[in-house]
Amino acid sequence: MEMDVVPNYGRVATLGLTPADGLGLVDGRIVNPDGTRSPIVHQYDRHPALLQAVHARWGQGYPARRRERPRTSGDRLNRLRESLRRRLPELR
């Protein structure tokens, strides 16, 4: 199987670790630090300003939601326990 490995900001822009000051918005579209635009943008939700702009353009009529992760190991354990209970009725 053949494949191409393309650097970041080529076909896909993965923005999770990109500093916010290097990103921009032009006409409601995300601009990469090098001034180009990628057809696919991944992890834009890690930057609040980009998240608001994308929601304003593409999410009209839908509630804005924030992805939140459990804060403590106890929270994670409770979340895992509840997930298992939903999936395995015999444990209820």
Side-chain angles (χ1 to χ4, degrees):
M1 172 171 43
E2 292 185 37
M3 66 179 88
D4 292 328
V5 176
V6 180
N8 197 16
Y9 312 119
R11 179 156 172 72
V12 177
T14 302
L15 306 179
L17 298 177
T18 303
D21 58 349
L23 301 170
L25 287 164
V26 174
D27 298 326
R29 295 182 187 258
I30 297 172
V31 178
N32 299 323
D34 61 1
T36 62
R37 295 181 191 170
S38 299
I40 301 169
V41 180
H42 180 57
Q43 294 181 338
Y44 65 87
D45 61 333
R46 302 327 196 259
H47 302 279
L50 297 179
L51 177 61
Q52 288 175 348
V54 169
H55 182 53
R57 182 177 174 105
W58 304 105
Q60 294 177 2
Y62 293 99
R65 295 184 181 170
R66 289 193 65 203
R67 182 176 154 190
E68 295 185 22
R69 295 184 177 180
R71 303 248 190 280
T72 66
S73 58
D75 292 337
R76 290 183 185 140
L77 182 61
N78 287 338
R79 186 173 176 185
L80 176 62
R81 185 180 301 128
E82 291 303 316
S83 176
L84 286 172
R85 285 183 178 156
R86 283 192 305 271
R87 288 168 175 75
L88 301 172
E90 60 273 6
L91 293 179
R92 292 183 199 169

Coordinates of all heavy atoms in Angstrom, one line a residue:
M1 N 0.8 -1.2 0.0 CA 0.0 0.0 0.0 C 0.9 1.2 0.0 O 1.8 1.4 0.8 CB -0.9 0.0 1.2 CG -1.7 1.2 1.4 SD -3.0 1.2 2.7 CE -2.3 0.4 4.0
E2 N 0.6 2.1 -0.9 CA 1.4 3.4 -1.0 C 0.7 4.5 -0.2 O -0.5 4.5 -0.1 CB 1.5 3.8 -2.4 CG 2.4 2.9 -3.3 CD 2.5 3.5 -4.7 OE1 2.7 4.7 -4.8 OE2 2.6 2.7 -5.6
M3 N 1.5 5.4 0.4 CA 1.0 6.5 1.1 C 2.0 7.6 1.0 O 3.2 7.4 0.8 CB 0.6 6.2 2.5 CG 1.8 5.8 3.4 SD 1.3 5.4 5.0 CE 1.0 3.7 4.9
D4 N 1.5 8.8 1.2 CA 2.4 10.0 1.3 C 2.3 10.6 2.7 O 1.2 10.7 3.3 CB 1.9 11.1 0.3 CG 2.0 10.7 -1.1 OD1 3.0 10.0 -1.4 OD2 1.2 11.1 -2.0
V5 N 3.5 11.0 3.2 CA 3.5 11.7 4.5 C 3.7 13.1 4.1 O 4.7 13.5 3.5 CB 4.7 11.1 5.3 CG1 4.8 11.9 6.6 CG2 4.5 9.7 5.6
V6 N 2.8 13.9 4.6 CA 2.8 15.4 4.3 C 3.0 16.1 5.6 O 2.4 15.8 6.6 CB 1.4 15.8 3.6 CG1 1.4 17.3 3.3 CG2 1.2 15.0 2.4
P7 N 3.9 17.1 5.6 CA 4.1 17.9 6.8 C 2.8 18.6 7.3 O 1.9 18.8 6.5 CB 5.1 18.9 6.5 CG 5.6 18.5 5.1 CD 4.7 17.6 4.5
N8 N 2.8 18.9 8.6 CA 1.7 19.7 9.2 C 1.4 20.9 8.3 O 2.3 21.5 7.8 CB 2.0 20.0 10.6 CG 0.7 20.4 11.4 OD1 -0.4 20.1 10.9 ND2 0.8 21.0 12.5
Y9 N 0.2 21.3 8.3 CA -0.3 22.4 7.5 C -0.4 22.2 6.0 O -0.6 23.1 5.2 CB 0.4 23.8 7.8 CG 0.6 24.0 9.2 CD1 1.9 24.1 9.8 CD2 -0.5 24.2 10.1 CE1 2.1 24.4 11.1 CE2 -0.3 24.4 11.4 CZ 1.0 24.5 11.9 OH 1.2 24.8 13.3
G10 N -0.2 20.9 5.6 CA -0.3 20.6 4.2 C -1.8 20.4 4.0 O -2.6 21.3 4.0
R11 N -2.2 19.1 3.8 CA -3.6 18.8 3.6 C -4.4 19.0 4.9 O -5.5 19.4 4.9 CB -3.8 17.4 3.0 CG -5.2 17.0 2.8 CD -5.3 15.9 1.8 NE -6.6 15.4 1.7 CZ -7.7 16.0 1.3 NH1 -7.6 17.2 0.8 NH2 -8.9 15.4 1.2
V12 N -3.8 18.6 6.0 CA -4.4 18.7 7.3 C -3.6 19.6 8.2 O -2.4 19.4 8.3 CB -4.5 17.3 8.0 CG1 -5.2 17.4 9.4 CG2 -5.4 16.3 7.1
A13 N -4.3 20.5 8.9 CA -3.6 21.3 9.9 C -4.0 20.8 11.3 O -5.1 20.9 11.7 CB -4.0 22.8 9.7
T14 N -3.0 20.3 12.0 CA -3.3 19.8 13.4 C -2.8 21.0 14.3 O -1.6 21.3 14.4 CB -2.5 18.5 13.7 OG1 -3.0 17.5 12.8 CG2 -2.8 18.0 15.1
L15 N -3.8 21.6 15.0 CA -3.5 22.8 15.7 C -3.3 22.7 17.2 O -3.1 23.7 17.9 CB -4.6 23.8 15.4 CG -4.9 24.1 14.0 CD1 -6.0 25.1 13.9 CD2 -3.7 24.6 13.3
G16 N -3.4 21.5 17.7 CA -3.4 21.3 19.2 C -2.2 21.9 19.9 O -2.4 22.5 20.9
L17 N -1.0 21.7 19.3 CA 0.2 22.3 20.0 C 0.7 23.5 19.3 O 1.7 24.0 19.7 CB 1.2 21.2 20.0 CG 0.9 19.9 20.7 CD1 2.0 18.9 20.6 CD2 0.6 20.2 22.2
T18 N 0.0 24.1 18.4 CA 0.4 25.3 17.7 C 0.1 26.5 18.6 O -1.0 26.6 19.1 CB -0.4 25.5 16.4 OG1 -0.1 24.3 15.6 CG2 0.1 26.7 15.6
P19 N 1.1 27.4 18.8 CA 0.8 28.6 19.6 C -0.3 29.4 18.9 O -0.4 29.6 17.7 CB 2.1 29.3 19.6 CG 3.1 28.3 19.2 CD 2.4 27.3 18.4
A20 N -1.2 30.0 19.8 CA -2.4 30.7 19.3 C -1.9 32.0 18.5 O -2.6 32.4 17.6 CB -3.3 31.1 20.4
D21 N -0.8 32.6 18.9 CA -0.4 33.8 18.2 C 0.0 33.6 16.8 O 0.1 34.5 16.0 CB 0.7 34.5 19.0 CG 1.9 33.7 19.2 OD1 1.9 32.5 18.9 OD2 2.9 34.2 19.7
G22 N 0.3 32.3 16.4 CA 0.6 32.1 15.0 C -0.5 31.8 14.1 O -0.4 31.7 12.9
L23 N -1.7 31.7 14.7 CA -2.9 31.3 13.9 C -3.8 32.6 13.7 O -3.7 33.6 14.4 CB -3.8 30.3 14.7 CG -3.1 29.0 14.9 CD1 -3.9 28.1 15.9 CD2 -2.8 28.2 13.7
G24 N -4.5 32.6 12.6 CA -5.4 33.7 12.4 C -6.7 33.3 11.7 O -6.9 32.2 11.4
L25 N -7.5 34.3 11.5 CA -8.8 34.1 10.8 C -8.9 35.2 9.7 O -8.7 36.4 10.0 CB -10.0 34.3 11.8 CG -10.2 33.2 12.8 CD1 -11.1 33.7 14.0 CD2 -10.8 32.0 12.2
V26 N -9.3 34.7 8.5 CA -9.5 35.6 7.4 C -10.8 35.1 6.7 O -10.9 34.0 6.3 CB -8.4 35.6 6.4 CG1 -8.7 36.4 5.2 CG2 -7.1 36.1 7.0
D27 N -11.8 36.0 6.7 CA -13.1 35.7 6.1 C -13.7 34.5 6.8 O -14.4 33.6 6.1 CB -13.0 35.4 4.6 CG -12.5 36.6 3.8 OD1 -12.8 37.8 4.2 OD2 -11.8 36.5 2.8
G28 N -13.5 34.3 8.1 CA -14.1 33.2 8.8 C -13.4 31.9 8.7 O -13.9 30.9 9.1
R29 N -12.3 31.9 8.0 CA -11.5 30.7 7.8 C -10.2 30.7 8.5 O -9.6 31.8 8.6 CB -11.3 30.4 6.3 CG -12.6 30.1 5.6 CD -12.3 29.8 4.2 NE -13.6 29.8 3.4 CZ -14.2 28.6 3.1 NH1 -13.7 27.5 3.4 NH2 -15.3 28.7 2.4
I30 N -9.7 29.6 9.0 CA -8.5 29.6 9.8 C -7.3 29.6 8.9 O -7.2 28.9 7.9 CB -8.4 28.3 10.7 CG1 -9.6 28.3 11.7 CG2 -7.1 28.1 11.4 CD1 -9.8 27.0 12.4
V31 N -6.3 30.5 9.2 CA -5.1 30.7 8.5 C -4.0 30.1 9.3 O -3.8 30.4 10.5 CB -4.9 32.2 8.1 CG1 -3.6 32.3 7.4 CG2 -6.0 32.7 7.4
N32 N -3.1 29.3 8.7 CA -2.0 28.7 9.3 C -0.9 29.7 9.6 O -0.9 30.8 9.0 CB -1.4 27.6 8.4 CG -2.4 26.5 8.2 OD1 -3.2 26.1 9.0 ND2 -2.4 25.9 6.9
P33 N 0.1 29.3 10.5 CA 1.2 30.3 10.8 C 2.0 30.7 9.5 O 2.5 31.8 9.5 CB 2.0 29.5 11.7 CG 1.1 28.5 12.4 CD 0.1 28.1 11.3
D34 N 2.0 29.9 8.5 CA 2.8 30.2 7.3 C 1.9 31.0 6.3 O 2.3 31.3 5.2 CB 3.4 29.0 6.7 CG 2.3 28.0 6.2 OD1 1.1 28.2 6.4 OD2 2.7 26.9 5.7
G35 N 0.7 31.3 6.7 CA -0.2 32.1 5.8 C -1.1 31.3 4.9 O -1.9 31.9 4.2
T36 N -0.9 30.0 4.9 CA -1.8 29.2 4.0 C -3.0 28.7 4.7 O -3.2 28.9 5.9 CB -1.0 27.9 3.5 OG1 -0.6 27.1 4.7 CG2 0.3 28.3 2.8
R37 N -3.9 28.1 4.0 CA -5.1 27.5 4.5 C -5.2 26.1 4.2 O -4.9 25.7 3.1 CB -6.4 28.2 3.9 CG -6.5 29.6 4.3 CD -7.8 30.2 3.7 NE -7.7 31.7 3.8 CZ -8.6 32.4 3.2 NH1 -9.5 31.9 2.4 NH2 -8.5 33.7 3.3
S38 N -5.5 25.3 5.2 CA -5.6 23.8 5.0 C -7.0 23.4 4.8 O -7.9 24.0 5.5 CB -5.0 23.1 6.2 OG -3.6 23.4 6.3
P39 N -7.3 22.5 3.9 CA -8.7 22.0 3.7 C -9.3 21.4 4.9 O -10.5 21.4 5.1 CB -8.6 21.1 2.5 CG -7.2 21.0 2.1 CD -6.4 21.8 3.0
I40 N -8.4 20.7 5.7 CA -8.9 20.0 6.9 C -8.2 20.6 8.1 O -7.0 20.7 8.1 CB -8.7 18.5 6.8 CG1 -9.4 17.9 5.6 CG2 -9.1 17.8 8.1 CD1 -9.0 16.5 5.3
V41 N -9.0 21.0 9.2 CA -8.4 21.6 10.4 C -8.8 20.7 11.5 O -9.9 20.4 11.8 CB -8.9 23.0 10.6 CG1 -8.2 23.6 11.9 CG2 -8.5 23.9 9.4
H42 N -7.8 20.2 12.3 CA -7.9 19.3 13.4 C -7.5 20.0 14.7 O -6.5 20.7 14.7 CB -7.1 18.0 13.1 CG -7.1 17.0 14.2 ND1 -8.3 16.4 14.5 CD2 -6.2 16.4 14.9 CE1 -8.1 15.5 15.5 NE2 -6.8 15.5 15.7
Q43 N -8.3 19.8 15.7 CA -8.0 20.3 17.1 C -8.1 21.8 17.2 O -7.4 22.4 18.0 CB -6.6 19.8 17.6 CG -6.6 18.3 17.8 CD -5.2 17.8 18.3 OE1 -4.2 18.5 18.1 NE2 -5.2 16.6 18.9
Y44 N -8.9 22.4 16.4 CA -9.1 23.9 16.5 C -9.8 24.2 17.8 O -9.7 25.3 18.3 CB -10.0 24.4 15.3 CG -11.4 23.9 15.3 CD1 -12.4 24.5 16.0 CD2 -11.7 22.7 14.6 CE1 -13.7 24.0 16.1 CE2 -13.0 22.2 14.6 CZ -14.0 22.8 15.4 OH -15.2 22.3 15.4
D45 N -10.5 23.2 18.4 CA -11.2 23.5 19.7 C -10.3 23.7 20.8 O -10.7 24.1 21.9 CB -12.2 22.4 20.0 CG -11.5 21.0 20.1 OD1 -10.4 20.8 19.5 OD2 -12.0 20.1 20.8
R46 N -9.0 23.5 20.6 CA -8.0 23.8 21.7 C -7.7 25.3 21.8 O -7.1 25.7 22.8 CB -6.7 23.1 21.4 CG -6.6 21.6 21.2 CD -7.6 20.8 22.0 NE -7.3 19.4 22.1 CZ -7.9 18.4 21.4 NH1 -8.8 18.8 20.5 NH2 -7.6 17.2 21.5
H47 N -8.2 26.1 20.9 CA -8.0 27.5 20.9 C -9.4 28.2 21.0 O -10.1 28.2 20.0 CB -7.3 28.0 19.6 CG -5.9 27.3 19.5 ND1 -4.8 27.8 20.1 CD2 -5.5 26.3 18.7 CE1 -3.8 27.0 19.8 NE2 -4.2 26.1 19.0
P48 N -9.7 28.8 22.1 CA -11.1 29.4 22.3 C -11.5 30.3 21.2 O -12.7 30.3 20.8 CB -11.0 30.0 23.7 CG -9.9 29.3 24.4 CD -8.9 28.9 23.3
A49 N -10.6 31.2 20.8 CA -11.0 32.2 19.7 C -11.4 31.4 18.4 O -12.4 31.8 17.8 CB -9.9 33.2 19.5
L50 N -10.7 30.4 18.1 CA -11.0 29.7 16.9 C -12.3 28.9 17.0 O -13.1 28.8 16.1 CB -9.8 28.7 16.5 CG -8.5 29.4 16.1 CD1 -7.5 28.3 15.8 CD2 -8.6 30.4 15.0
L51 N -12.5 28.3 18.2 CA -13.7 27.5 18.5 C -14.9 28.4 18.3 O -15.9 28.0 17.7 CB -13.6 27.0 19.9 CG -14.8 26.2 20.4 CD1 -15.1 25.0 19.5 CD2 -14.7 25.7 21.8
Q52 N -14.8 29.7 18.9 CA -16.0 30.6 18.7 C -16.2 30.9 17.3 O -17.4 31.0 16.8 CB -15.7 31.8 19.6 CG -15.8 31.6 21.0 CD -15.4 32.8 21.8 OE1 -14.9 33.8 21.3 NE2 -15.7 32.8 23.1
A53 N -15.2 31.2 16.5 CA -15.3 31.6 15.1 C -15.9 30.5 14.3 O -16.8 30.7 13.5 CB -14.0 32.0 14.6
V54 N -15.4 29.3 14.5 CA -15.9 28.1 13.8 C -17.4 27.8 14.1 O -18.2 27.6 13.2 CB -15.0 26.9 14.0 CG1 -15.7 25.6 13.5 CG2 -13.6 27.1 13.4
H55 N -17.7 27.9 15.4 CA -19.1 27.7 15.8 C -20.0 28.8 15.2 O -21.1 28.5 14.8 CB -19.2 27.7 17.3 CG -20.6 27.4 17.8 ND1 -21.4 26.3 17.3 CD2 -21.4 28.1 18.6 CE1 -22.6 26.4 17.9 NE2 -22.6 27.4 18.7
A56 N -19.5 30.0 15.2 CA -20.3 31.1 14.6 C -20.6 30.9 13.1 O -21.7 31.2 12.6 CB -19.6 32.5 14.8
R57 N -19.6 30.3 12.4 CA -19.8 30.1 11.0 C -20.5 28.8 10.6 O -21.4 28.8 9.8 CB -18.4 30.1 10.3 CG -18.5 30.0 8.8 CD -17.1 30.0 8.2 NE -17.2 29.7 6.8 CZ -17.1 30.6 5.8 NH1 -16.9 31.9 6.1 NH2 -17.2 30.3 4.5
W58 N -20.2 27.8 11.3 CA -20.7 26.4 10.9 C -21.7 25.8 11.9 O -22.4 24.9 11.6 CB -19.6 25.4 10.8 CG -18.6 25.9 9.8 CD1 -17.3 26.4 10.1 CD2 -18.7 25.9 8.4 NE1 -16.7 26.7 8.9 CE2 -17.5 26.5 7.8 CE3 -19.7 25.6 7.5 CZ2 -17.3 26.6 6.5 CZ3 -19.5 25.7 6.1 CH2 -18.3 26.3 5.6
G59 N -21.8 26.4 13.1 CA -22.7 25.8 14.1 C -23.9 26.5 14.5 O -24.5 26.3 15.5
Q60 N -24.4 27.4 13.6 CA -25.6 28.2 13.9 C -26.8 27.2 14.1 O -27.0 26.3 13.3 CB -25.9 29.1 12.7 CG -24.8 30.2 12.6 CD -25.0 31.1 11.4 OE1 -26.0 31.0 10.7 NE2 -24.1 32.0 11.2
G61 N -27.5 27.5 15.1 CA -28.7 26.7 15.4 C -28.4 25.5 16.4 O -29.3 24.8 16.8
Y62 N -27.1 25.3 16.6 CA -26.7 24.2 17.5 C -26.1 24.8 18.8 O -25.4 25.8 18.8 CB -25.6 23.3 16.9 CG -26.1 22.5 15.7 CD1 -25.9 23.0 14.4 CD2 -26.9 21.4 15.9 CE1 -26.4 22.3 13.3 CE2 -27.4 20.6 14.8 CZ -27.1 21.1 13.5 OH -27.6 20.4 12.5
P63 N -26.3 24.2 20.0 CA -25.7 24.7 21.2 C -24.2 24.6 21.2 O -23.7 23.6 20.7 CB -26.4 23.9 22.3 CG -26.8 22.6 21.6 CD -27.1 23.0 20.2
A64 N -23.6 25.6 21.7 CA -22.1 25.5 21.9 C -21.8 24.6 23.0 O -22.3 24.7 24.1 CB -21.5 26.9 22.1
R65 N -20.9 23.7 22.8 CA -20.5 22.7 23.8 C -19.0 22.7 24.0 O -18.3 22.9 23.1 CB -20.9 21.3 23.4 CG -22.4 21.1 23.3 CD -22.8 19.7 23.0 NE -24.2 19.6 22.9 CZ -24.8 18.6 22.5 NH1 -24.2 17.5 22.1 NH2 -26.2 18.5 22.4
R66 N -18.6 22.5 25.2 CA -17.2 22.5 25.6 C -16.9 21.0 26.0 O -17.6 20.4 26.7 CB -16.9 23.4 26.7 CG -17.0 24.8 26.4 CD -16.4 25.7 27.4 NE -14.9 25.4 27.5 CZ -14.2 25.6 28.5 NH1 -14.7 26.1 29.6 NH2 -12.9 25.3 28.5
R67 N -15.8 20.6 25.5 CA -15.3 19.3 25.8 C -14.5 19.4 27.2 O -13.6 20.2 27.3 CB -14.3 18.8 24.7 CG -13.8 17.4 25.0 CD -13.0 17.0 23.8 NE -12.0 16.1 24.2 CZ -11.1 15.6 23.4 NH1 -10.9 16.1 22.3 NH2 -10.2 14.7 23.9
E68 N -15.0 18.7 28.1 CA -14.3 18.7 29.4 C -13.8 17.4 29.8 O -14.5 16.4 29.7 CB -15.3 19.3 30.5 CG -15.7 20.7 30.2 CD -16.5 21.3 31.3 OE1 -16.5 20.8 32.4 OE2 -17.2 22.3 31.1
R69 N -12.7 17.3 30.4 CA -12.1 16.1 30.8 C -12.2 16.0 32.4 O -12.2 17.0 33.0 CB -10.6 16.0 30.4 CG -10.5 16.0 28.9 CD -9.0 15.8 28.6 NE -8.9 15.7 27.1 CZ -7.8 15.6 26.5 NH1 -6.7 15.5 27.2 NH2 -7.8 15.5 25.2
P70 N -12.3 14.8 32.9 CA -12.3 14.6 34.3 C -11.1 15.2 35.0 O -10.0 15.2 34.4 CB -12.3 13.1 34.5 CG -12.9 12.5 33.3 CD -12.4 13.5 32.2
R71 N -11.2 15.8 36.1 CA -10.2 16.6 36.8 C -9.2 15.7 37.6 O -8.1 15.9 37.7 CB -10.7 17.7 37.6 CG -11.6 18.6 36.8 CD -11.0 20.0 36.7 NE -11.8 21.0 36.2 CZ -12.1 21.2 34.9 NH1 -11.6 20.4 34.0 NH2 -12.8 22.2 34.5
T72 N -9.8 14.7 38.3 CA -9.0 13.9 39.2 C -9.1 12.4 38.8 O -9.9 12.0 38.0 CB -9.5 14.0 40.6 OG1 -10.8 13.4 40.7 CG2 -9.6 15.4 41.1
S73 N -8.2 11.6 39.4 CA -8.2 10.2 39.1 C -9.5 9.6 39.6 O -10.0 8.6 39.0 CB -7.0 9.5 39.7 OG -6.9 9.7 41.1
G74 N -10.0 10.1 40.7 CA -11.3 9.6 41.2 C -12.4 9.8 40.2 O -13.3 9.0 40.0
D75 N -12.4 11.0 39.6 CA -13.4 11.4 38.6 C -13.3 10.4 37.4 O -14.3 9.9 36.8 CB -13.3 12.8 38.1 CG -13.6 13.8 39.1 OD1 -14.4 13.5 40.1 OD2 -13.1 15.0 39.0
R76 N -12.1 10.1 37.0 CA -11.9 9.2 35.9 C -12.4 7.8 36.2 O -13.0 7.1 35.4 CB -10.4 9.2 35.5 CG -9.9 10.4 34.8 CD -8.5 10.3 34.4 NE -8.1 11.6 33.9 CZ -6.9 12.2 34.1 NH1 -6.0 11.5 34.8 NH2 -6.6 13.4 33.6
L77 N -12.1 7.4 37.4 CA -12.5 6.0 37.9 C -14.1 6.0 37.9 O -14.6 5.0 37.4 CB -12.0 5.7 39.2 CG -12.3 4.3 39.8 CD1 -11.8 3.2 38.9 CD2 -11.7 4.2 41.2
N78 N -14.7 7.0 38.4 CA -16.2 7.0 38.4 C -16.7 7.0 37.0 O -17.7 6.3 36.7 CB -16.7 8.2 39.2 CG -16.5 8.1 40.6 OD1 -16.4 7.0 41.2 ND2 -16.5 9.2 41.3
R79 N -16.1 7.8 36.1 CA -16.6 7.8 34.7 C -16.4 6.4 34.1 O -17.3 5.9 33.3 CB -15.8 8.8 33.9 CG -16.3 9.1 32.6 CD -15.6 10.2 31.9 NE -16.1 10.4 30.6 CZ -15.6 11.2 29.7 NH1 -14.7 12.0 30.1 NH2 -16.0 11.2 28.5
L80 N -15.3 5.8 34.3 CA -15.1 4.4 33.8 C -16.1 3.4 34.3 O -16.7 2.6 33.6 CB -13.7 4.0 34.1 CG -13.3 2.6 33.6 CD1 -13.4 2.4 32.1 CD2 -11.9 2.2 34.1
R81 N -16.3 3.5 35.6 CA -17.3 2.6 36.3 C -18.7 2.8 35.7 O -19.3 1.8 35.4 CB -17.3 2.9 37.8 CG -18.2 1.9 38.6 CD -18.2 2.3 40.1 NE -16.8 2.2 40.6 CZ -16.2 3.2 41.3 NH1 -16.9 4.3 41.6 NH2 -15.0 3.0 41.8
E82 N -19.1 4.0 35.5 CA -20.4 4.3 34.9 C -20.5 3.8 33.5 O -21.5 3.2 33.1 CB -20.8 5.7 35.0 CG -21.0 6.2 36.4 CD -22.1 5.5 37.1 OE1 -23.2 5.2 36.5 OE2 -22.0 5.1 38.3
S83 N -19.4 3.9 32.8 CA -19.4 3.5 31.4 C -19.5 1.9 31.3 O -20.3 1.4 30.5 CB -18.1 3.9 30.7 OG -18.0 3.4 29.4
L84 N -18.8 1.3 32.2 CA -18.9 -0.2 32.3 C -20.3 -0.7 32.7 O -20.8 -1.7 32.1 CB -17.9 -0.8 33.2 CG -16.4 -0.7 32.7 CD1 -15.5 -1.2 33.8 CD2 -16.3 -1.6 31.5
R85 N -20.9 0.0 33.6 CA -22.3 -0.4 34.1 C -23.3 -0.2 32.9 O -24.2 -1.0 32.8 CB -22.7 0.5 35.2 CG -22.0 0.1 36.5 CD -22.5 0.9 37.7 NE -21.9 0.4 38.9 CZ -21.7 1.1 40.0 NH1 -22.2 2.4 40.0 NH2 -21.1 0.6 41.0
R86 N -23.1 0.8 32.1 CA -24.0 0.9 31.0 C -23.9 -0.2 30.0 O -24.8 -0.6 29.3 CB -23.8 2.3 30.3 CG -24.4 3.5 31.0 CD -24.4 4.7 30.2 NE -23.1 5.0 29.6 CZ -22.1 5.8 30.2 NH1 -22.4 6.3 31.4 NH2 -21.0 6.1 29.7
R87 N -22.6 -0.6 29.8 CA -22.3 -1.6 28.8 C -22.5 -3.1 29.2 O -22.7 -4.0 28.5 CB -20.9 -1.4 28.3 CG -20.8 -0.2 27.4 CD -19.3 0.2 27.2 NE -19.2 1.2 26.3 CZ -19.4 2.5 26.6 NH1 -19.8 2.8 27.8 NH2 -19.2 3.5 25.7
L88 N -22.5 -3.3 30.5 CA -22.6 -4.6 31.1 C -23.7 -4.7 32.1 O -23.6 -4.5 33.3 CB -21.3 -5.0 31.8 CG -20.0 -5.0 30.9 CD1 -18.8 -5.2 31.8 CD2 -20.1 -6.1 29.8
P89 N -24.9 -4.9 31.6 CA -26.1 -4.9 32.5 C -26.0 -5.8 33.7 O -26.6 -5.6 34.7 CB -27.3 -5.3 31.6 CG -26.7 -5.4 30.2 CD -25.3 -5.3 30.3
E90 N -25.3 -6.9 33.6 CA -25.2 -7.9 34.7 C -24.5 -7.3 35.9 O -24.6 -7.8 37.0 CB -24.6 -9.2 34.2 CG -23.1 -9.0 33.7 CD -23.0 -8.7 32.3 OE1 -24.0 -8.5 31.6 OE2 -21.9 -8.7 31.8
L91 N -23.8 -6.2 35.8 CA -23.1 -5.6 36.9 C -24.0 -4.6 37.7 O -23.6 -4.2 38.7 CB -21.9 -4.8 36.4 CG -20.7 -5.7 35.9 CD1 -19.6 -4.8 35.4 CD2 -20.3 -6.7 36.9
R92 N -25.2 -4.3 37.2 CA -26.1 -3.3 37.8 C -26.7 -3.9 39.1 O -26.9 -4.9 39.4 CB -27.2 -2.9 36.9 CG -26.7 -2.1 35.7 CD -27.8 -1.7 34.9 NE -27.3 -1.4 33.6 CZ -28.0 -1.1 32.5 NH1 -29.3 -1.2 32.6 NH2 -27.5 -0.8 31.4

